[in-house]
């Protein structure tokens, strides 16, 4: 498979479309995890400053989301938010699906990218290949089709 730079049918996905995909993923994850947290720890647990409410919170809020995201990258090349916006996460050199190692490094790389005021995520907007620090650490890129419409718009010309 060609890299994004070699394939004229795809392009690197930019900052804002990736923000949109992340928002979709966040909402979906909250829809799944919030009822579980409420069922185990009650409504009041949503309004505390506690980072970790207990052992099940570790599983529901941290381990499950990490596993879900990593598995989506490995098997679908995208999380549901990226799928909704026709984005794919691929190896930066070959365009191939991510390895397990790349997926884990990319996920952990999000924490590295967020530590200095999110600069590692904002980096996507300034990078020529639209890579955040998490992408650079894992050697990945996010791509999408250049011609995303079903058909170009054509108007009749009158004489």
């Amino acid at each position: 498979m060609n890299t994004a730079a070699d394939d004229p049918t795809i392009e690197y996905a930019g900052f804002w479309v990736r923000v949109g995909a992340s928002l979709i993923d966040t909402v979906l994850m909250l829809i799944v995890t919030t009822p579980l947290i409420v069922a185990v720890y009650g409504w009041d647990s949503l309004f505390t400053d506690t980072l970790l409410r207990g052992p099940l919170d570790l599983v529901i809020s941290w381990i499950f989301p990490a596993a879900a995201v990593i598995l989506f990258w490995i098997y679908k090349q995208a999380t549901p938010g990226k799928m909704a916006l026709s984005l794919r996460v691929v190896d930066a050199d070959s365009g191939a699906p991510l390895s397990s190692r790349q997926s884990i490094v990319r996920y952990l790389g999000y924490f590295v990218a967020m530590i200095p005021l999110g600069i590692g995520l904002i980096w996507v907007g300034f990078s020529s290949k639209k890579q955040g620090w998490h992408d650079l650490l894992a050697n990945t890129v996010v791509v999408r089709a250049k011609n995303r419409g079903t058909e170009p718009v054509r108007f009749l010309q009158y004489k």
Side-chain angles (χ1 to χ4, degrees):
M1 182 178 223
N2 295 333
T3 64
D6 298 337
D7 190 337
T9 64
I10 60 175
E11 64 186 358
Y12 297 114
F15 179 79
W16 289 111
V17 71
R18 290 173 68 171
V19 167
S22 293
L23 290 173
I24 292 169
D25 289 334
T26 300
V27 169
L28 291 174
M29 197 61 73
L30 287 172
I31 288 170
V32 172
T33 60
T34 302
L36 295 172
I37 292 294
V38 169
V40 175
Y41 295 103
W43 282 104
D44 292 340
S45 68
L46 297 179
F47 307 103
T48 66
D49 293 338
T50 307
L51 181 64
L52 201 57
R53 296 164 192 89
L56 282 176
D57 187 21
L58 176 68
V59 173
I60 295 168
S61 298
W62 295 91
I63 296 172
F64 168 72
V69 167
I70 289 167
L71 290 172
F72 268 109
W73 285 338
I74 292 170
Y75 293 107
K76 295 290 188 178
Q77 293 184 291
T79 56
K82 283 185 174 52
M83 285 188 265
L85 299 177
S86 300
L87 307 178
R88 292 182 299 127
V89 184
V90 297
D91 179 84
D93 295 330
S94 67
L98 303 187
S99 68
S100 298
R101 180 191 169 284
Q102 280 179 300
S103 297
I104 292 167
V105 169
R106 188 172 196 272
Y107 190 86
L108 294 174
Y110 275 118
F111 295 100
V112 174
M114 288 188 281
I115 290 171
L117 303 174
I119 292 171
L121 300 175
I122 295 168
W123 197 262
V124 170
F126 301 98
S127 166
S128 63
K129 292 183 180 180
K130 305 301 180 193
Q131 291 174 295
W133 291 358
H134 56 292
D135 291 309
L136 293 168
L137 288 168
N139 194 37
T140 62
V141 290
V142 180
V143 296
R144 67 179 180 173
K146 274 188 180 179
N147 183 7
R148 292 176 298 282
T150 55
E151 183 177 335
V153 176
R154 296 186 192 128
F155 296 104
L156 295 174
Q157 295 180 356
Y158 296 100
K159 291 185 178 187

